[in-house]
Amino acid sequence: MTTTVPALGTRTAEGSALQAVLLDMDGTLVDTEGFWWDVEVEVFAGLGHTLDDSWRHVVVGGPMTRSAGFLIEATGADITLAELTVLLNQGFEDRIDRALPLMPGAARLLAELAAHEIPTALVSASHRRIIDRVLGLIGPQYFALTVAGDEVARTKPHPDPYLLAAAGLGAEPARCAVVEDTATGVAAAEAAGCQVVAVPSVAPIAPAARRTVVDSLEQVDLAFLRGLMTEMR
């Protein structure tokens, strides 16, 4: 279900109620949400269909089965879900091979969590083949484990991926800080009972109980994440 990476220990930092940090990938750590939409537009153009730009907000952040299925139904394209999945994954891999821009503040946050030995997991709706490719570029050493969307029975917006990650790190979900960029990911993290930091990438996300909204990862550091736990007391 998960791939473990021999990197950090799972020791909780002394004096902090923060037990683990769980991070989304696309649009949160790497600036790739636009890549997915560009690939979808390109693939469907090859099939003779033009995607409506308003659909971008429908497909962002969700599992490929949902987003690809929606686009097939919306366009009436003559392609199976399995065939489309292959084309989308390949198109995405081609793009990240050319460039993989990190989100502002991502490299600094990952380095800080590693320096303080905070148990950290990557939790993505992307498939394992995509996660492993991205990990090789941003550094697998930053993550004690990873959870891929095609390795859980129910991926985001269901809580399963975050519950699995918390359990794998030996952490209580309520003592985990999750960083997400989409409403789908936020819904999954909140359903799991985690504290959520939303950094919207494509569509706005409103503040709510157990949810803090910021403009950029540059506003998020270890002190900020520990502060979320302090507010629970």
Side-chain angles (χ1 to χ4, degrees):
M1 298 290 286
T2 63
T3 292
T4 57
V5 180
L8 311 178
T10 56
R11 179 176 63 82
T12 302
E14 293 181 4
S16 172
L18 177 67
Q19 294 181 346
V21 177
L22 314 178
L23 299 157
D24 174 54
M25 187 176 76
D26 294 302
T28 298
L29 291 178
V30 289
D31 191 7
T32 52
E33 287 292 8
F35 285 16
W36 282 114
W37 179 247
D38 290 344
V39 170
E40 288 160 348
V41 169
E42 182 178 289
V43 167
F44 276 90
L47 296 171
H49 298 275
T50 300
L51 300 188
D52 190 313
D53 195 61
S54 65
W55 296 342
R56 181 173 182 174
H57 299 292
V58 178
V59 301
V60 67
M64 186 174 292
T65 51
R66 189 194 73 183
S67 58
F70 168 82
L71 292 175
I72 290 172
E73 183 176 353
T75 60
D78 184 18
I79 190 171
T80 68
L81 183 60
E83 292 168 338
L84 180 57
T85 296
V86 171
L87 293 177
L88 294 178
N89 276 328
Q90 186 58 59
F92 183 80
E93 288 181 38
D94 291 343
R95 274 170 170 72
I96 63 174
D97 281 344
R98 297 196 295 267
L100 183 67
L102 290 177
M103 298 298 288
R108 187 262 316 147
L109 177 60
L110 289 173
E112 183 180 17
L113 294 174
H116 289 83
E117 298 184 319
I118 302 298
T120 303
L122 187 69
V123 183
S124 176
S126 290
H127 289 188
R128 169 56 55 192
R129 60 182 285 188
I130 297 297
I131 287 182
D132 287 346
R133 183 69 67 91
V134 173
L135 273 176
L137 297 170
I138 66 176
Q141 70 273 15
Y142 293 117
F143 305 99
L145 65 83
T146 62
V147 178
D150 57 338
E151 295 174 340
V152 290
R154 302 188 308 169
T155 188
K156 303 173 187 180
H158 298 288
D160 306 37
Y162 282 112
L163 292 173
L164 186 61
L169 295 176
E172 302 172 34
R175 296 297 176 180
C176 292
V178 169
V179 185
E180 273 280 0
D181 73 301
T182 67
T184 299
V186 166
E190 290 179 342
C194 303
Q195 293 287 327
V196 180
V197 179
V199 191
S201 62
V202 175
I205 298 174
R210 301 177 66 87
R211 181 196 310 167
T212 303
V213 181
V214 299
D215 297 324
S216 167
L217 279 184
E218 293 180 311
Q219 298 171 248
V220 181
D221 57 16
L222 182 53
F224 178 94
L225 297 174
R226 283 176 169 163
L228 299 178
M229 304 301 150
T230 302
E231 293 172 4
M232 294 173 56
R233 299 174 183 173

